[in-house]
Amino acid sequence: MNNKIVGLVRVSTDKQDVESQKFKIRNAYPNNEIIFYEEELSGATPYDLRPQLELAVKEALKLSTTLVVAELSRLGRDAGGLISWLGEAKKRGLQIICLDYPELTPEILPFLAGAVQLERLKIKERTRLALRAKKN
């Protein structure tokens, strides 16, 4: 039995930290060897511009193991892109576990993808307001 899993962690800026995501994954898989891939980029970044994500996918497929993320939003915050990417990943035979939604099914994916995109829009608005307040 394969004791390895692949973990993907993503933050948007260098002021953020991936350790809480790693902790969640390690806590969920205490008896597994975890190979982590880290990204520092926006959740709206197109999938073809995410080399660490592609390396994580290739590693998981090579090992015939699961790609684990702490939160669905770590895979992306664009609803259409996320749904499309997950469909392609499934076609490639990739197993994915999102710790915040372990029972992720095709039926509920569009709703959850919409929710992570909405959160991205809220984050943008909060950032814009904070920057405006800082100028004043």
Side-chain angles (χ1 to χ4, degrees), residues 29-49:
Y29 294 91
N31 299 318
N32 291 79
E33 178 185 340
I34 305 169
I35 303 164
F36 282 107
Y37 288 84
E38 297 182 18
E39 294 183 307
E40 183 186 305
L41 44 78
S42 165
T45 302
Y47 290 94
D48 60 342
L49 299 177

Side-chain angles (χ1 to χ4, degrees), residues 29-114:
Y29 294 91
N31 299 318
N32 291 79
E33 178 185 340
I34 305 169
I35 303 164
F36 282 107
Y37 288 84
E38 297 182 18
E39 294 183 307
E40 183 186 305
L41 44 78
S42 165
T45 302
Y47 290 94
D48 60 342
L49 299 177
R50 295 180 63 181
Q52 290 300 303
L53 173 61
E54 184 57 27
L55 288 172
V57 168
K58 287 180 179 179
E59 185 74 10
L61 291 170
K62 181 178 86 174
L63 296 172
S64 298
T65 194
T66 304
L67 175 67
V68 180
V69 291
E71 301 167 7
L72 180 62
S73 64
R74 302 303 84 197
L75 291 174
R77 288 195 182 270
D78 172 71
L82 180 58
I83 292 167
S84 177
W85 185 85
L86 286 169
E88 289 300 314
K90 185 177 181 178
K91 286 179 190 173
R92 291 172 73 180
L94 182 66
Q95 295 177 290
I96 301 171
I97 293 180
C98 300
L99 296 180
D100 59 343
Y101 297 108
E103 301 299 325
L104 187 62
T105 65
E107 296 78 22
I108 64 169
L109 177 59
F111 299 103
L112 297 175

Side-chain angles (χ1 to χ4, degrees), residues 111-124:
F111 299 103
L112 297 175
V116 297
Q117 181 171 328
L118 179 61
E119 181 59 24
R120 181 186 70 159
L121 296 174
K122 288 179 179 180
I123 291 168
K124 277 178 74 171

Side-chain angles (χ1 to χ4, degrees), residues 123-136:
I123 291 168
K124 277 178 74 171
E125 180 63 12
R126 286 192 303 262
T127 302
R128 187 183 68 74
L129 291 172
L131 291 173
R132 186 180 337 154
K134 192 174 183 177
K135 284 182 181 178
N136 295 333

